[in-house]
Amino acid sequence: MGQLYLSSLSLSHFRSHKRAAMACDGRPVAIYGPNGAGKTNILEAVSLMSPGRGLRRSSAEEMTRRPEALGWKVSGLLHTLGAVHEVETWSDKGAARQVRVDGKSAGQVTLGRLARVLWLVPSMDRLWIEGAEGRRRFLDRATLSFEPGHADASLTYEKAMRERNRLLKDQVRDAHWYRALEGQMAEAGAAIHVARQAALEALRAAQEAAETAFPAAELELIQSEGEMPASAEALADALAESRPRDMMAGRTLVGPHRSDLAAVYAAKGVPARDCSTGEQKALLVSLILANARALAGGFGAPPLLLLDEVSAHLDSARRAALYDEICALGAQAWMTGTGPELFEDLGDRAQRIHVTDEAGISHVEMLE
């Protein structure tokens, strides 16, 4: 099995970092320092080695360092499946971010082919008790890790749905205006549903095959009402049939955007939403690890893992077990915490970075 890792990472005018350079060797990276020092900003920079808006879902303008607002740049040497690529991504004064790979301009889809990146951040701790949108996003991130084309299908679907919703709000009744949009939605929506189901199967299989200290989750893709049509043709028919109801609501009420991810703590038979805070966090960690194990077999290397304040709600035994599983997997995990004691169980299996803040500027110190 190959390895996927960054051997160097450089930040320029990114968030709180004016300049930062880190040299890595493939081991996990433990980042510690006080709250607000800029630890999560490093993880966000690594997350930009994948398509999309990064782990905070921020705009390019929001990532630029203030007060300079000159724009920002993140670059790194990415080792993937035996090859090494120089990856650069940047934004000039808030413009859409650009990507260059090995000195040549590239689209974000290229990043999806080169690397797989998964993350777990504190805002996800409430995943099981808040709205379905967050759970769909979580599932789509996992799906994207298995099928990079999932992003294109999602964009096509969302664009066509926005146009259809505009027609609905304007009370347009001529079926001719809807057919082409609903055809696009049906093809993309069916592809989205199939890819999500395949991702769930991969996660289930990875959980069943693993010996882990973390609880398994029974996963199911459900609809807010009714069932998801089984094919593109069936979805197109459902969209056409639903027009009068959708027109009254002013939005589309059928399709994969109405799906939700249901999870049950398998050993206890308890829905994830009813579990304790610690159990909910353990289920999330379990799914991230299952996703990573599945990718190690399918992609050929474990993904980059970004675990922000991962020790929160984990007792010392589970924290040590997490580190053991990460190291056994061979993943380069970038982890943050407030103090070095949180990473003692890693010993020399990890590199360490100490981050401090002076007058609003983050400073990075590499420690062995």
Side-chain angles (χ1 to χ4, degrees):
M1 184 173 62
Q3 189 178 13
L4 171 65
Y5 68 98
L6 286 166
S7 60
S8 71
L9 179 69
S10 299
L11 283 60
S12 174
H13 291 83
F14 184 84
R15 296 283 192 183
S16 58
H17 295 267
K18 196 169 186 177
R19 298 282 182 188
M22 289 150 274
C24 307
D25 57 17
R27 286 179 291 168
V29 181
I31 306 170
Y32 69 91
N35 291 329
K39 304 183 299 296
T40 304
N41 296 338
I42 296 175
L43 267 59
E44 183 178 26
V46 177
S47 74
L48 297 178
M49 295 290 153
S50 65
R53 300 175 67 177
L55 59 79
R56 283 192 177 108
R57 301 185 71 247
S58 298
S59 68
E61 184 177 9
E62 290 170 327
M63 296 178 195
T64 193
R65 176 175 162 73
R66 307 293 177 182
E68 299 94 325
L70 301 172
W72 53 266
K73 184 175 183 179
V74 173
S75 57
L77 284 178
L78 181 69
H79 297 244
T80 174
L81 305 179
V84 183
H85 299 281
E86 182 181 3
V87 178
E88 302 166 278
T89 183
W90 72 94
S91 168
D92 292 323
K93 298 181 179 179
R97 82 166 171 123
Q98 300 179 62
V99 176
R100 191 159 51 214
V101 176
D102 298 329
K104 298 179 181 178
S105 180
Q108 291 188 35
V109 66
T110 302
L111 298 178
R113 291 196 293 265
L114 293 179
R116 301 292 189 271
V117 186
L118 303 177
W119 55 75
L120 185 58
V121 298
S123 62
M124 295 163 64
D125 289 351
R126 298 178 60 82
L127 186 76
W128 307 116
I129 59 177
E130 293 189 338
E133 182 180 0
R135 290 186 290 277
R136 279 195 300 273
R137 192 179 303 125
F138 177 83
L139 175 57
D140 282 336
R141 190 74 209 172
T143 304
L144 182 64
S145 74
F146 296 114
E147 176 48 68
H150 184 66
D152 290 335
S154 298
L155 288 172
T156 298
Y157 182 85
E158 290 168 7
K159 182 179 179 181
M161 184 172 66
R162 283 197 300 269
E163 293 296 322
R164 184 178 188 269
N165 286 347
R166 187 175 294 114
L167 294 176
L168 294 169
K169 290 177 181 177
D170 291 342
Q171 297 291 297
V172 175
R173 299 180 183 276
D174 188 344
H176 172 77
W177 290 94
Y178 289 92
R179 290 194 186 102
L181 291 173
E182 289 172 354
Q184 292 176 28
M185 290 177 65
E187 290 293 332
I192 289 168
H193 186 67
V194 168
R196 285 173 173 172
Q197 292 284 22
L200 288 182
E201 284 300 320
L203 292 177
R204 293 185 189 110
Q207 287 186 111
E208 291 173 1
E211 293 184 8
T212 175
F214 292 89
E218 295 174 358
L219 303 170
E220 184 181 4
L221 190 62
I222 60 175
Q223 292 297 110
S224 57
E225 58 179 84
E227 294 184 0
M228 175 70 190
S231 67
E233 293 77 10
L235 180 53
D237 290 342
L239 287 166
E241 183 180 340
S242 186
R243 282 177 209 153
R245 186 174 65 124
D246 293 354
M247 193 171 293
M248 291 180 63
R251 66 186 190 280
T252 302
L253 297 175
V254 61
H257 66 288
R258 304 281 286 174
S259 298
D260 194 0
L261 176 64
V264 173
Y265 192 121
K268 296 185 176 183
V270 177
R273 64 177 180 272
D274 297 329
C275 291
S276 70
T277 301
E279 289 172 335
Q280 290 176 350
K281 183 63 172 274
L283 284 170
L284 279 173
V285 172
S286 178
L287 290 176
I288 292 292
L289 290 173
N291 197 164
R293 287 191 293 268
L295 284 173
F299 177 64
L304 296 172
L305 294 176
L306 310 179
L307 307 175
D308 194 18
E309 300 293 347
V310 69
S311 61
H313 309 307
L314 291 182
D315 57 36
S316 58
R318 276 220 169 113
R319 189 166 63 234
L322 172 62
Y323 299 156
D324 288 344
E325 292 196 30
I326 288 171
C327 293
L329 185 62
Q332 187 185 52
W334 296 68
M335 301 170 284
T336 67
T338 52
E341 70 281 356
L342 296 172
F343 303 108
E344 286 181 354
D345 290 315
L346 279 165
D348 61 4
R349 295 180 296 174
Q351 293 181 278
R352 286 161 174 78
I353 297 176
H354 184 207
V355 182
T356 55
D357 175 86
E358 295 179 19
I361 301 176
S362 295
H363 295 269
V364 171
E365 180 186 6
M366 293 290 304
L367 305 171
E368 289 298 328

